[in-house]
């Protein structure tokens, strides 16, 4: 019968919907926590306390366990987040919630930079400026985004937004 397949598809969609609805709040918390000086792992642990029992908390909890066991953050994100799926969820969240002035893309750029994905972080940072984010002083002072300074084109990017 088709009932188990239909039920599983419905459960999957509910889970995805719950994740992308919780994602903007969680990313804000992650951004604020990292900006306040917490490292990525501590910031993730803080978020888990704020969203207990949710599908996003389950996913972030698994990510945190992998990182605490010594796996590289970027690898843990790839394995856990099934990066293509995570990107789709983020894009869906962006469509539903909107990206207020590029802030979501800026937060994602910081997360990617900390995870070691410098090229992707730079692409997200450029996109955040295209969407209206314009706090160049914050970018220049951002500890995580310092990792991008050696990338080709980063200096020109900064100059074009002065």
């Amino acid at each position: 019968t088709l009932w188990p397949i239909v039920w599983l598809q419905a459960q999957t969609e509910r889970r995805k919907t719950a994740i992308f609805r919780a994602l903007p709040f969680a990313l804000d918390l992650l951004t604020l926590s990292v900006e306040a000086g917490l490292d990525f792992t501590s910031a993730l642990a803080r978020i888990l306390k704020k969203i207990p029992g949710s599908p996003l908390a389950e996913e972030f909890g698994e990510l945190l366990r992998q990182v605490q066991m010594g796996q590289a953050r970027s690898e843990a994100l790839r394995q856990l987040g099934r990066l293509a799926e995570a990107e789709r969820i983020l894009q869906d969240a962006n469509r539903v919630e909107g990206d207020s002035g590029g802030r979501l893309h800026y937060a994602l750029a910081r997360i990617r930079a900390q995870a070691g994905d410098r090229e992707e972080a730079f692409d997200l940072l450029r996109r955040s400026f295209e969407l209206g984010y314009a706090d160049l002083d914050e970018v220049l002072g951002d500890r995580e985004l310092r990792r991008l300074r050696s990338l080709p084109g980063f200096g020109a990017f900064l100059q074009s937004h002065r």
Side-chain angles (χ1 to χ4, degrees), residues 20-117:
F20 80 71
R21 282 191 178 147
L23 205 51
F25 173 73
L27 288 175
D28 276 348
L29 281 178
L30 187 61
T31 300
L32 291 171
S33 298
V34 170
E35 285 174 352
L38 292 178
D39 62 24
F40 180 79
T41 306
S42 300
L44 204 52
R46 183 172 184 221
I47 290 171
L48 289 174
K49 292 177 185 173
K50 299 286 185 183
I51 57 170
S54 71
L56 185 59
E58 292 170 8
E59 296 293 324
F60 279 0
E62 181 60 27
L63 172 63
L64 182 60
R65 280 187 288 284
Q66 294 298 322
V67 171
Q68 288 173 333
M69 291 188 323
Q71 188 171 34
R73 277 184 298 241
S74 57
E75 182 59 27
L77 284 165
R78 277 187 199 92
Q79 284 182 3
L80 172 75
R82 297 159 299 277
L83 204 50
E85 179 66 13
E87 287 295 324
R88 190 189 68 69
I89 290 170
L90 289 174
Q91 290 167 357
D92 288 347
N94 191 37
R95 276 194 290 279
V96 170
E97 296 293 328
D99 189 354
S100 57
R103 189 75 186 162
L104 176 61
H105 282 77
Y106 179 76
L108 291 171
R110 297 184 80 246
I111 292 166
R112 287 296 179 91
Q114 190 169 19
D117 296 330

Side-chain angles (χ1 to χ4, degrees), residues 74-162:
S74 57
E75 182 59 27
L77 284 165
R78 277 187 199 92
Q79 284 182 3
L80 172 75
R82 297 159 299 277
L83 204 50
E85 179 66 13
E87 287 295 324
R88 190 189 68 69
I89 290 170
L90 289 174
Q91 290 167 357
D92 288 347
N94 191 37
R95 276 194 290 279
V96 170
E97 296 293 328
D99 189 354
S100 57
R103 189 75 186 162
L104 176 61
H105 282 77
Y106 179 76
L108 291 171
R110 297 184 80 246
I111 292 166
R112 287 296 179 91
Q114 190 169 19
D117 296 330
R118 295 176 342 129
E119 291 289 339
E120 181 68 20
F122 189 28
D123 289 343
L124 287 163
L125 181 62
R126 283 191 288 247
R127 182 71 179 131
S128 73
F129 272 74
E130 290 170 9
L131 292 170
Y133 184 81
D135 192 344
L136 195 56
D137 289 332
E138 184 174 5
V139 172
L140 291 171
D142 193 308
R143 185 175 64 208
E144 299 306 328
L145 296 180
R146 286 184 189 150
R147 301 167 191 218
L148 307 182
R149 291 182 180 174
S150 63
L151 289 174
F154 190 76
F157 168 78
L158 292 177
Q159 286 297 333
S160 70
H161 289 90
R162 288 193 188 268

